[in-house]
Amino acid sequence: QRLHEQEAVQKRTFTKWINSHLEKMNDLFEDIKDGVKLLALLEVLSGQRLPCEQGRHLKRIHWVSNISTALKFLEGRKIKLVNIHATDVADGRPSIVLGLIWTIILYFQIEELTSNLPALQAFSNSSSSVDSLTSSETGSPPVKRKVLHKFQGNAKKVLLRWVQCTAAKHHGIEVKDFGPSWRDGVAFQSMVHAIRPDLVDMEEVRRRSNRENLEEAFSLAENELGIPRLLDPEDVDVDKPDEKSIMTYVAQFLKHYPNPGPAAGQQEVLLWPADCNLTREERKMLRELKVFLDQLEKDVLRAQGSDGNLSDKYQVFKHFHVQFEMKKKQAEPLLQPVHPDGKLSVDQALVKQAWDHVSARLLDWHIHLDKSLPGPLGSIGAWLHRAEMALREDFPLHHAPEETANVLHRKLQQHQDVLKNLEVHRRTFQQIHKDRSVHGVPVPPEQLQDMAERFNFVSAHSHSHLIQLEFWEMKYRLTAFLLLAESKLKSWIIKYGRRDSVELLLRSYLTFTEGQRFFEQYEVLFTALQRAAEVYVKSDSADEAEGVSKFLADATVQWKNLALEVRSVRSMLEEVICNWEKYGSTVAALQAWLEDAEQVLGQSENIKRDFFRNLSHWIQQHMDMNDAGNFLIETCDETVSRDLKQQLLLLNGRWRELFIKVKHVRTPPPPPPPPSPPNPAALLLVYSTAEQMRWTNSGRTTRTP
């Protein structure tokens, strides 16, 4: 009984969770069977476009195909799905469906959100937590439960630690699990209070009943914080609340927690306690480090301004530089961010600021010392710093792909400019290093030796750095191109308007695909990327060969699907235009014929018989009109479809009324000589209106009266 209730709670919670991302799903087990909404959910969560069989008359084979696509997509994300088969989902098996949705929630919500808590990652492994999650724990085989518990030792602990650190600990609440600890609703109230203290009186909360606390917490979270209501009080106020459902709901708070924004008229709340993940000893070490850095900066400034020859000053610089680097290695663990959004605590931020100041002072002093060297060696020293800076610069991979490619191109050009004089400087430096002097003026030997090592480093790594820049630029050029293609495709695969707008869309499509040589562009980009990748892998990046190959393979598959869809757009647009043309001509002709036919009904039998002799032609016209009209209703936007339905309703109504009257028309006795066979069109007038409409509209996806 308890397992059945647990399954029912999960079904309700997971359905609400899906509905917070998609259009309303009524019955999870039924609505997921065809795989259409499952693929739509994965598209929303991943931002990737997935192929999907759609339509009103999908067969089971199409259902299984859609679900298989979804499962392959998840496996491509390194999510192992044990004993989950497409046919089981298509059958709507509860334990399998719940297990699949739980896996998706874990991967795309709980793990993704908890992975953004760097300071809590001691609780989780570096690899993906969703190693092997299958069906719901309800009814799962022992092997599956073992794997599930393995995961929950990671993200579950991180999420629980976050709750304990951000909300519960400030109110003396003990949250030990994602089950009974939440039954009285106080923990939920503390989560709301952590984001908006003005919404919750924690003293009042302790005096309320479980149901009152739960109802108020869920309502406040939904109405004030925009957190979807995934649970109801009766789901939680039980002896053993469902762990998965509570984890799913609590993760919503983590999603909204970092930047909820202050309430009107209030100051912004400190969202993450500065000492949450720093021990007293760590805070003490940070303050001592700040004192050390402040003193080091003063000592560097004083030494830099003191008298002495170049050799002595370089010795002092080296002493400070070695001190700085040794301390840096010791202190790096203390400067790991503790906030969920990557921010540092106050103590950490102050130390980092002091660190940056000292680093800048030492670099300025080093550049000045190198520029102070005699003759051309001073110029080489200045050039050497520029080259080192170019090698140290990080790639700006956090920007949009096109912007990233442009920045990489600029850096590539700048690096090429720096390296233009490499050979000239190398020959000059080699001679100076051999002579240990410049035009007879001795050079500080330690400084000269350090420059020789730095020169060798620049010489050895400059070529591979250029190769790397070229590869990354082409990679992001191709990525930007594929994103542009997807964006264009979305603008073409829409519900269409009237004929003139569709013709305009077709012209835009042709300008893009033919005028801008869309398909040729891809071939040029991909060929250039392949060449850059080959050189890149052969240089110093052999260990990245697998990743490069995978990117090329993924890009090829993505392009294959995109190109197929882009090519199909033209035929679709042309078909829509063709149907507009057919619809317009048949409507105009049929309206004129109906007006004449309605007048002829009042004429003699001979006139009527003669007028309706070519009725078969107009039946075909009527069928063509409905064919084209129904096609346009399916493919056009709501406003146009509504107008078309109304027009077809009126025309088909007139057509039906005409046939009711015409079926009473009798063909007069044939005069001698023996008559020719009766006109089938005339005989057609006697069949029932319902039969005629069934014929006319047979095979349509949209019925018109």
Side-chain angles (χ1 to χ4, degrees):
Q1 178 64 26
R2 191 181 76 82
L3 292 179
H4 179 72
E5 292 173 356
Q6 189 179 47
E7 186 179 272
V9 172
Q10 286 180 17
K11 181 182 179 183
R12 289 195 296 272
T13 304
F14 294 174
T15 300
K16 292 173 185 175
W17 182 81
I18 293 171
N19 286 341
S20 70
H21 295 89
L22 292 178
E23 58 182 318
K24 297 302 178 186
M25 180 179 279
N26 298 315
D27 188 314
L28 175 60
F29 300 151
E30 288 298 320
D31 293 348
I32 204 172
K33 283 184 175 181
D34 62 7
V36 174
K37 288 188 177 179
L38 176 60
L39 286 171
L41 175 65
L42 293 176
E43 283 189 346
V44 169
L45 296 173
S46 68
Q48 290 185 232
R49 187 177 178 84
L50 300 174
C52 180
E53 300 279 355
Q54 298 191 64
R56 298 185 183 181
H57 305 292
L58 288 182
K59 305 296 183 184
R60 181 179 169 82
I61 188 173
H62 300 123
W63 299 4
V64 173
S65 173
N66 283 339
I67 297 165
S68 296
T69 299
L71 299 183
K72 286 177 183 175
F73 171 76
L74 292 173
E75 288 168 353
R77 293 284 185 114
K78 306 301 181 186
I79 303 173
K80 296 178 182 177
L81 303 170
V82 180
N83 291 339
I84 290 187
H85 303 294
T87 52
D88 293 330
V89 179
D91 290 337
R93 288 183 57 190
S95 63
I96 300 297
V97 172
L98 291 175
L100 176 60
I101 300 302
W102 175 234
T103 300
I104 292 171
I105 291 171
L106 283 169
Y107 180 82
F108 286 102
Q109 177 173 290
I110 297 175
E111 180 179 320
E112 182 174 314
L113 291 172
T114 55
S115 68
N116 292 325
L117 302 178
L120 298 181
Q121 288 309 300
F123 292 102
S124 103
N125 295 336
S126 59
S127 61
S128 174
S129 300
V130 191
D131 288 334
S132 182
L133 296 165
T134 57
S135 62
S136 147
E137 190 170 336
T138 305
S140 301
V143 174
K144 294 182 195 174
R145 286 201 188 109
K146 182 178 180 181
V147 174
L148 187 62
H149 293 158
K150 177 185 176 183
F151 163 77
Q152 292 182 335
N154 298 322
K156 177 183 173 182
K157 284 186 178 180
V158 176
L159 187 62
L160 185 61
R161 173 64 176 144
W162 174 77
V163 171
Q164 294 166 340
C165 194
T166 59
K169 103 177 214 182
H170 298 286
H171 303 289
I173 304 166
E174 190 175 18
V175 179
K176 299 183 293 184
D177 50 46
F178 285 106
S181 295
W182 298 82
R183 180 175 183 176
D184 61 5
V186 177
F188 287 115
Q189 292 276 16
S190 74
M191 297 297 295
V192 176
H193 183 276
I195 299 175
R196 285 278 302 278
D198 59 301
L199 296 177
V200 179
D201 181 345
M202 291 303 296
E203 292 303 318
E204 180 68 24
V205 164
R206 296 177 192 279
R207 294 192 287 269
R208 292 201 190 103
S209 69
N210 292 2
R211 293 293 175 100
E212 288 174 330
N213 275 333
L214 290 166
E215 176 59 38
E216 184 184 70
F218 297 158
S219 297
L220 287 173
E222 182 176 37
N223 299 327
E224 300 293 336
L225 306 180
I227 296 174
R229 182 176 179 139
L230 305 184
L231 296 171
D232 291 314
E234 55 269 25
D235 297 332
V236 184
D237 189 18
V238 293
D239 290 338
K240 292 185 178 180
D242 180 59
E243 188 176 78
K244 297 182 181 68
S245 298
I246 291 179
M247 283 180 68
T248 300
Y249 183 58
V250 170
Q252 304 285 316
F253 287 85
L254 177 55
K255 182 178 180 181
H256 288 74
Y257 191 76
N259 296 295
Q266 292 194 358
Q267 292 184 345
E268 189 167 358
V269 181
L270 179 61
L271 300 179
W272 188 268
D275 64 344
C276 181
N277 292 286
L278 293 175
T279 65
R280 182 176 298 177
E281 182 63 26
E282 286 172 332
R283 292 196 299 277
K284 180 184 176 184
M285 291 170 65
L286 283 167
R287 293 187 182 111
E288 290 174 351
L289 184 57
K290 175 69 164 59
V291 172
F292 165 80
L293 290 169
D294 288 343
Q295 186 60 48
L296 182 61
E297 185 177 11
K298 292 176 184 176
D299 293 344
V300 168
L301 284 171
R302 185 167 49 252
Q304 192 173 359
S306 63
D307 295 330
N309 60 43
L310 185 59
S311 182
D312 291 341
K313 283 193 172 185
Y314 192 78
Q315 290 290 341
V316 175
F317 163 78
K318 281 293 294 283
H319 169 73
F320 284 130
H321 189 265
V322 169
Q323 252 190 306
F324 177 79
E325 290 298 327
M326 288 178 62
K327 203 72 172 179
K328 185 177 179 180
K329 287 182 180 179
Q330 296 171 8
E332 277 179 352
L334 288 172
L335 295 178
Q336 295 302 310
V338 296
H339 287 247
D341 56 0
K343 291 181 181 178
L344 303 173
S345 71
V346 175
D347 286 333
Q348 288 175 315
L350 290 173
V351 169
K352 186 176 185 306
Q353 186 180 47
W355 209 283
D356 292 342
H357 283 167
V358 176
S359 180
R361 293 290 184 194
L362 287 170
L363 179 60
D364 287 343
W365 192 8
H366 195 186
I367 293 172
H368 176 74
L369 290 171
D370 284 346
K371 283 184 176 180
S372 300
L373 290 164
L377 192 55
S379 299
I380 292 174
W383 172 87
L384 190 56
H385 280 285
R386 291 198 302 274
E388 288 174 323
M389 192 172 295
L391 287 175
R392 283 196 301 265
E393 276 189 311
D394 292 330
F395 294 157
L397 305 183
H398 57 283
H399 298 301
E402 185 174 6
E403 184 183 351
T404 299
N406 291 336
V407 173
L408 286 167
H409 183 70
R410 288 196 296 272
K411 288 185 177 296
L412 180 62
Q413 289 182 318
Q414 290 167 4
H415 196 55
Q416 287 171 335
D417 290 340
V418 169
L419 296 179
K420 281 179 182 176
N421 298 318
L422 175 61
E423 287 305 316
V424 175
H425 287 322
R426 192 207 308 270
R427 287 193 295 271
T428 304
F429 183 79
Q430 286 174 342
Q431 186 60 49
I432 293 172
H433 188 263
K434 180 181 177 181
D435 297 341
R436 302 287 175 176
S437 64
V438 179
H439 305 312
V441 179
V443 177
E446 189 171 0
Q447 188 173 0
L448 187 63
Q449 185 56 38
D450 286 345
M451 286 184 71
E453 293 175 3
R454 291 162 57 205
F455 210 111
N456 288 335
F457 177 83
V458 169
S459 299
H461 290 84
S462 290
H463 183 63
S464 61
H465 188 67
L466 284 173
I467 290 172
Q468 193 175 19
L469 282 171
E470 288 171 352
F471 167 72
W472 283 94
E473 181 194 348
M474 292 313 304
K475 175 179 177 179
Y476 279 89
R477 289 272 177 234
L478 187 71
T479 302
F481 178 84
L482 292 173
L483 283 176
L484 174 64
E486 285 186 343
S487 173
K488 286 290 184 180
L489 191 60
K490 287 177 182 177
S491 72
W492 294 325
I493 303 178
I494 57 173
K495 288 289 187 178
Y496 302 110
R498 296 197 175 273
R499 178 176 176 174
D500 54 349
S501 67
V502 183
E503 288 174 340
L504 188 63
L505 201 60
L506 179 59
R507 286 198 294 272
S508 169
Y509 169 87
L510 292 174
T511 299
F512 182 77
T513 56
E514 296 180 1
Q516 298 184 26
R517 301 176 64 83
F518 171 70
F519 295 101
E520 291 86 346
Q521 274 190 62
Y522 172 80
E523 296 300 331
V524 170
L525 279 173
F526 190 77
T527 301
L529 176 61
Q530 277 184 312
R531 285 198 298 265
E534 288 174 10
V535 176
Y536 177 57
V537 170
K538 287 178 182 177
S539 60
D540 296 330
S541 306
D543 55 331
E544 297 184 29
E546 185 178 349
V548 172
S549 297
K550 185 178 185 307
F551 176 80
L552 292 173
D554 289 347
T556 301
V557 172
Q558 186 180 358
W559 170 249
K560 183 180 179 182
N561 294 331
L562 272 172
L564 185 64
E565 292 192 57
V566 169
R567 286 192 169 94
S568 69
V569 166
R570 178 171 184 169
S571 59
M572 183 62 183
L573 291 172
E574 289 174 343
E575 188 175 2
V576 173
I577 293 169
C578 179
N579 275 278
W580 269 118
E581 183 177 350
K582 183 196 293 185
Y583 181 77
S585 63
T586 53
V587 164
L590 201 61
Q591 281 177 328
W593 182 83
L594 283 171
E595 290 177 6
D596 292 342
E598 289 162 351
Q599 292 178 4
V600 164
L601 286 176
Q603 303 296 319
S604 68
E605 290 297 318
N606 286 338
I607 293 175
K608 285 189 284 188
R609 183 183 60 188
D610 185 61
F611 180 84
F612 290 110
R613 191 176 302 278
N614 64 341
L615 185 60
S616 59
H617 167 75
W618 293 105
I619 289 175
Q620 185 62 49
Q621 288 286 94
H622 180 247
M623 291 174 64
D624 290 346
M625 176 191 74
N626 278 288
D627 272 338
N630 282 305
F631 177 87
L632 293 172
I633 287 169
E634 286 291 324
T635 55
C636 291
D637 61 44
E638 186 178 351
T639 303
V640 175
S641 293
R642 187 173 58 247
D643 292 346
L644 289 169
K645 287 176 183 177
Q646 185 64 29
Q647 189 173 31
L648 282 176
L649 184 69
L650 293 172
L651 283 171
N652 282 315
R654 290 176 66 186
W655 180 269
R656 184 172 59 250
E657 289 175 6
L658 177 69
F659 265 85
I660 291 173
K661 295 174 183 178
V662 168
K663 70 179 183 179
H664 299 297
V665 175
R666 294 289 182 268
T667 305
S676 58
N679 186 347
L683 295 178
L684 185 63
L685 299 179
V686 301
Y687 71 65
S688 71
T689 302
E691 288 172 337
Q692 197 275 331
M693 291 305 296
R694 277 200 299 275
W695 177 21
T696 304
N697 288 325
S698 63
R700 305 299 192 277
T701 53
T702 298
R703 303 298 180 195
T704 51

